[in-house]
Amino acid sequence: MPITSILKDDSGVENAVYGILMIAIVVMVALLIGSLVLSQGGQVQVLASSPKASLTGVMSGGTAPSMLINHESGDPLQVSQILLNVYDDDGVLIGSTQVSSVSPAVTPAQLSPGMQTSAIPLSLNPGGTIDTGSRYTVKVVSSQSKQQIGSIVLVAR
Protein backbone atom coordinates (compact mmCIF):
# COMPACT_ATOMS: atom_id res chain seq x y z
CA MET A 1 0.00 0.00 0.00
CA PRO A 2 1.59 3.27 -1.03
CA ILE A 3 1.99 6.09 1.47
CA THR A 4 -0.20 8.44 -0.54
CA SER A 5 -3.18 6.12 -0.14
CA ILE A 6 -2.69 5.97 3.66
CA LEU A 7 -2.59 9.78 3.90
CA LYS A 8 -5.72 10.14 1.78
CA ASP A 9 -7.72 7.45 3.68
CA ASP A 10 -9.69 9.48 6.29
CA SER A 11 -12.60 7.06 6.99
CA GLY A 12 -11.23 6.25 10.48
CA VAL A 13 -10.98 9.95 11.39
CA GLU A 14 -14.65 10.50 10.63
CA ASN A 15 -15.75 7.75 13.07
CA ALA A 16 -13.47 9.09 15.80
CA VAL A 17 -14.90 12.61 15.43
CA TYR A 18 -18.46 11.26 15.63
CA GLY A 19 -17.59 9.30 18.77
CA ILE A 20 -16.07 12.34 20.47
CA LEU A 21 -19.06 14.50 19.51
CA MET A 22 -21.53 11.93 20.92
CA ILE A 23 -19.62 11.75 24.22
CA ALA A 24 -19.54 15.55 24.43
CA ILE A 25 -23.29 15.78 23.81
CA VAL A 26 -24.08 13.15 26.47
CA VAL A 27 -21.88 14.93 29.02
CA MET A 28 -23.52 18.28 28.28
CA VAL A 29 -27.04 16.84 28.63
CA ALA A 30 -26.08 15.15 31.92
CA LEU A 31 -24.67 18.45 33.24
CA LEU A 32 -27.82 20.30 32.18
CA ILE A 33 -30.11 17.80 33.89
CA GLY A 34 -27.91 17.75 36.99
CA SER A 35 -27.90 21.52 37.29
CA LEU A 36 -31.70 21.67 36.89
CA VAL A 37 -32.26 19.03 39.56
CA LEU A 38 -29.77 20.48 42.01
CA SER A 39 -31.02 24.06 41.57
CA GLN A 40 -34.50 22.96 42.72
CA GLY A 41 -33.16 21.56 46.00
CA GLY A 42 -33.95 24.67 48.03
CA GLN A 43 -37.54 24.74 46.81
CA VAL A 44 -38.46 21.16 47.70
CA GLN A 45 -41.12 21.18 50.38
CA VAL A 46 -41.54 18.32 52.81
CA LEU A 47 -45.19 17.44 53.26
CA ALA A 48 -46.27 17.88 56.82
CA SER A 49 -47.45 14.64 58.24
CA SER A 50 -50.67 14.46 60.19
CA PRO A 51 -50.50 13.79 63.88
CA LYS A 52 -51.33 10.27 64.98
CA ALA A 53 -53.15 9.53 68.21
CA SER A 54 -54.84 6.76 70.12
CA LEU A 55 -58.31 8.00 70.98
CA THR A 56 -61.36 6.76 72.86
CA GLY A 57 -64.69 8.46 73.32
CA VAL A 58 -68.19 8.59 74.66
CA MET A 59 -71.14 9.16 72.34
CA SER A 60 -74.59 10.30 73.42
CA GLY A 61 -77.55 9.70 71.13
CA GLY A 62 -80.98 11.22 71.07
CA THR A 63 -82.24 14.45 69.53
CA ALA A 64 -78.95 16.31 70.09
CA PRO A 65 -76.16 13.74 69.55
CA SER A 66 -72.74 14.64 70.89
CA MET A 67 -69.47 13.02 71.82
CA LEU A 68 -66.46 13.47 74.07
CA ILE A 69 -62.98 12.54 72.82
CA ASN A 70 -60.36 11.14 75.21
CA HIS A 71 -56.74 11.41 74.05
CA GLU A 72 -54.97 8.26 75.29
CA SER A 73 -51.54 8.60 73.63
CA GLY A 74 -49.76 10.02 70.61
CA ASP A 75 -49.22 13.49 69.19
CA PRO A 76 -50.96 16.57 70.62
CA LEU A 77 -53.98 17.60 68.52
CA GLN A 78 -55.26 21.05 67.64
CA VAL A 79 -58.97 20.59 68.30
CA SER A 80 -59.94 23.29 65.79
CA GLN A 81 -58.24 21.27 63.02
CA ILE A 82 -60.26 18.09 63.58
CA LEU A 83 -63.01 16.73 61.35
CA LEU A 84 -65.23 13.96 62.76
CA ASN A 85 -66.76 11.52 60.26
CA VAL A 86 -69.41 9.28 61.84
CA TYR A 87 -70.20 5.91 60.24
CA ASP A 88 -72.91 3.47 61.25
CA ASP A 89 -72.25 -0.25 61.78
CA ASP A 90 -72.71 -0.89 58.03
CA GLY A 91 -69.96 1.61 57.15
CA VAL A 92 -72.35 4.26 55.82
CA LEU A 93 -71.34 7.88 56.52
CA ILE A 94 -74.17 9.37 58.59
CA GLY A 95 -72.57 12.67 59.55
CA SER A 96 -69.55 14.89 59.42
CA THR A 97 -68.61 17.59 61.94
CA GLN A 98 -65.95 20.26 61.44
CA VAL A 99 -64.98 20.96 65.06
CA SER A 100 -63.82 24.52 64.29
CA SER A 101 -67.39 25.46 63.29
CA VAL A 102 -68.94 24.23 66.55
CA SER A 103 -70.36 26.93 68.82
CA PRO A 104 -69.54 27.36 71.65
CA ALA A 105 -65.92 26.46 70.91
CA VAL A 106 -64.73 23.04 72.00
CA THR A 107 -62.22 23.08 74.85
CA PRO A 108 -59.32 22.61 75.34
CA ALA A 109 -57.82 24.15 72.18
CA GLN A 110 -54.97 21.59 72.21
CA LEU A 111 -55.68 18.01 73.20
CA SER A 112 -52.71 16.21 74.75
CA PRO A 113 -52.49 12.65 76.11
CA GLY A 114 -54.62 12.23 79.22
CA MET A 115 -57.04 15.03 78.29
CA GLN A 116 -60.72 15.03 77.26
CA THR A 117 -62.67 17.48 75.11
CA SER A 118 -65.87 19.19 76.09
CA ALA A 119 -69.04 17.86 74.44
CA ILE A 120 -68.89 18.13 70.65
CA PRO A 121 -72.33 18.38 69.01
CA LEU A 122 -72.48 16.07 65.98
CA SER A 123 -73.85 17.21 62.63
CA LEU A 124 -75.74 14.36 60.98
CA ASN A 125 -76.92 13.92 57.41
CA PRO A 126 -80.69 14.18 56.82
CA GLY A 127 -82.22 10.97 58.11
CA GLY A 128 -79.10 10.09 60.10
CA THR A 129 -79.65 9.23 63.74
CA ILE A 130 -77.55 8.12 66.70
CA ASP A 131 -79.52 5.37 68.41
CA THR A 132 -78.73 4.36 71.98
CA GLY A 133 -77.08 0.92 72.08
CA SER A 134 -75.96 0.99 68.45
CA ARG A 135 -72.31 0.77 67.42
CA TYR A 136 -70.63 3.60 65.47
CA THR A 137 -67.20 4.31 64.06
CA VAL A 138 -65.87 7.85 64.26
CA LYS A 139 -62.90 8.61 62.04
CA VAL A 140 -60.94 11.60 63.29
CA VAL A 141 -59.38 13.40 60.32
CA SER A 142 -57.03 16.38 60.07
CA SER A 143 -58.95 19.15 58.32
CA GLN A 144 -55.68 20.51 56.91
CA SER A 145 -54.03 17.41 55.43
CA LYS A 146 -57.22 15.32 55.06
CA GLN A 147 -55.35 12.36 56.58
CA GLN A 148 -56.82 10.17 59.29
CA ILE A 149 -55.51 10.86 62.80
CA GLY A 150 -57.34 8.04 64.54
CA SER A 151 -60.48 5.97 64.65
CA ILE A 152 -62.89 5.32 67.51
CA VAL A 153 -65.39 2.46 67.64
CA LEU A 154 -68.03 3.03 70.29
CA VAL A 155 -71.57 2.26 71.38
CA ALA A 156 -73.95 5.21 71.83
CA ARG A 157 -75.44 5.79 75.27
Side-chain angles (χ1 to χ4, degrees), residues 13-150:
V13 173
E14 186 178 343
N15 290 337
V17 170
Y18 287 142
I20 291 171
L21 284 175
M22 290 302 292
I23 290 171
I25 290 172
V26 168
V27 168
M28 287 177 21
V29 169
L31 289 173
L32 179 66
I33 291 172
S35 68
L36 288 173
V37 170
L38 293 177
S39 69
Q40 299 297 321
Q43 298 175 5
V44 175
Q45 295 179 355
V46 178
L47 295 176
S49 63
S50 289
K52 298 294 179 199
S54 175
L55 306 168
T56 59
V58 177
M59 182 180 283
S60 300
T63 57
S66 65
M67 73 175 296
L68 302 170
I69 297 176
N70 301 313
H71 190 307
E72 301 297 330
S73 65
D75 300 323
L77 305 175
Q78 295 298 323
V79 175
S80 63
Q81 298 174 358
I82 292 177
L83 175 66
L84 303 175
N85 293 322
V86 182
Y87 296 86
D88 65 11
D89 207 20
D90 296 325
V92 176
L93 179 67
I94 61 169
S96 186
T97 303
Q98 177 66 48
V99 178
S100 64
S101 65
V102 171
S103 181
V106 176
T107 57
Q110 180 169 329
L111 192 60
S112 298
M115 298 177 75
Q116 181 181 51
T117 64
S118 58
I120 303 170
L122 298 175
S123 302
L124 301 179
N125 297 337
T129 60
I130 302 291
D131 299 322
T132 302
S134 296
R135 189 170 77 163
Y136 298 92
T137 301
V138 178
K139 293 185 179 178
V140 182
V141 177
S142 168
S143 59
Q144 288 187 331
S145 67
K146 305 298 185 214
Q147 294 180 351
Q148 185 172 318
I149 296 170

Side-chain angles (χ1 to χ4, degrees), residues 1 4-20:
M1 187 185 251
T4 55
S5 67
I6 293 176
L7 293 175
K8 291 182 181 179
D9 184 22
D10 58 3
S11 63
V13 173
E14 186 178 343
N15 290 337
V17 170
Y18 287 142
I20 291 171

